[in-house]
Amino acid sequence: MTHNTRIRPSLKARLRRGVDKLRYETGDRTISEASLTDKALEDYLDKHGL
């Protein structure tokens, strides 16, 4: 399912840099903007008991 949401340009750029860095450091090509976003949302919801 696609969830369209607005992400500030500065945060989007930071996300892209993070993905590039993690891919480079780990060699894991499955890391993507979507996978990091999913994980961050999952962690946030778990932390808040949702």
Side-chain angles (χ1 to χ4, degrees), residues 39-50:
K39 180 64 175 151
L41 288 169
E42 189 175 296
D43 289 349
Y44 179 89
L45 293 170
D46 288 347
K47 180 181 176 182
H48 291 88
L50 301 171

Side-chain angles (χ1 to χ4, degrees), residues 5-47:
T5 186
R6 184 168 175 86
I7 299 175
R8 287 179 284 126
S10 60
L11 186 55
K12 182 80 168 176
R14 188 174 171 195
L15 175 60
R16 284 188 185 126
R17 287 191 307 271
V19 167
D20 289 344
K21 182 177 181 179
L22 286 170
R23 283 181 174 175
Y24 175 78
E25 290 177 351
T26 65
D28 185 352
R29 302 304 293 173
T30 65
I31 296 171
S32 66
E33 291 178 18
S35 68
L36 259 60
T37 302
D38 287 349
K39 180 64 175 151
L41 288 169
E42 189 175 296
D43 289 349
Y44 179 89
L45 293 170
D46 288 347
K47 180 181 176 182

